[in-house]
Amino acid sequence: AFLIQLSQVHHYFRWIQRQRQQPEDWAAARLLFQSKYDHCCVKFMLGVTFMGTIVHYTGLHLGTHPDNIILDMYPPALLPWEWGLGDGAFKANRHILVKYIQPDDGLLTEQQVYFNTIFNYWRLRVEHIIGEVKNHDMLRGVFRGSIDLLQACVDITVHLT
């Protein structure tokens, strides 16, 4: 049976992409264009406690950098007994738990379904904090300013949230 002590699961990691106007510089556009979203974007990462406090922030990162690589490059300060919850992109990262995915040839066990239910409950709680940052008036829609201005806007929004 699978058992987890939820008190030891401390952070939730989520990437947020901010849509950005396509740069006129061809090389810059290639670094920022993310085919998954079909536009240029930059990324930043938040670590949020279950109580809604932002405890880890890093960014801005190029839109083409894989999420799990950025997490490896800028890891949160987790204690040895702490674990984080993350999206499927982080399944290979150390000390990050992801929910179970139903196999093509079978069903999830009762314990896996239970784990996913708890996982999704906490995920919804922190999505609220993600939404507060992502949907701030300064960051809503297509950003048309400089990368330095965008960095300042994201920094201010994260630190005041």
Side-chain angles (χ1 to χ4, degrees), residues 15 22-23 33 60 88 111 116 120 138 141 146-147 150-151 153:
W15 285 96
Q22 176 132 353
F33 186 79
L60 300 170
Q111 292 86 5
N116 283 355
N120 289 333
M138 282 192 295
S146 70
I147 199 77
L150 178 60
Q151 180 72 64
C153 290

Side-chain angles (χ1 to χ4, degrees), residues 9-161:
V9 180
H10 188 67
H11 299 87
Y12 178 87
F13 297 96
R14 164 79 173 159
W15 285 96
I16 302 173
Q17 295 79 24
R18 289 304 326 150
Q19 187 174 354
R20 180 158 158 57
Q21 181 181 9
Q22 176 132 353
E24 293 177 15
D25 179 1
W26 179 82
R30 283 195 62 190
L31 291 173
L32 295 174
F33 186 79
Q34 176 56 262
S35 58
K36 179 179 177 181
Y37 306 108
D38 197 31
H39 62 261
C40 288
C41 69
V42 292
K43 300 177 180 182
F44 57 96
M45 184 177 68
L46 295 179
V48 181
T49 66
F50 292 151
M51 297 301 292
T53 304
I54 297 172
V55 293
H56 181 72
Y57 161 62
T58 178
L60 300 170
H61 303 288
L62 298 175
T64 54
H65 279 180
D67 299 346
N68 61 325
I69 302 298
I70 296 173
L71 181 60
D72 282 339
M73 292 170 52
Y74 302 95
L78 293 174
L79 297 172
W81 53 268
E82 290 182 309
W83 286 75
L85 299 179
D87 293 339
F90 302 111
K91 64 184 172 192
N93 292 94
R94 188 178 185 301
H95 278 260
I96 302 295
L97 297 172
V98 297
K99 69 180 187 174
Y100 290 98
I101 303 298
Q102 183 169 334
D104 293 334
D105 60 347
L107 300 173
L108 295 176
T109 66
E110 185 178 332
Q111 292 86 5
Q112 291 170 332
V113 171
Y114 181 69
F115 173 86
N116 283 355
T117 302
I118 294 169
F119 184 96
N120 289 333
Y121 171 81
W122 290 108
R123 179 183 171 134
L124 289 175
R125 289 201 56 191
V126 297
E127 285 293 332
H128 175 76
I129 302 300
I130 300 295
E132 285 188 30
V133 174
K134 187 175 178 181
N135 296 319
H136 192 281
D137 286 343
M138 282 192 295
L139 303 174
R140 192 169 294 156
V142 177
F143 190 83
R144 291 179 171 33
S146 70
I147 199 77
D148 291 333
L149 179 59
L150 178 60
Q151 180 72 64
C153 290
V154 172
D155 287 349
I156 290 169
T157 304
V158 168
H159 289 290
L160 293 178
T161 299

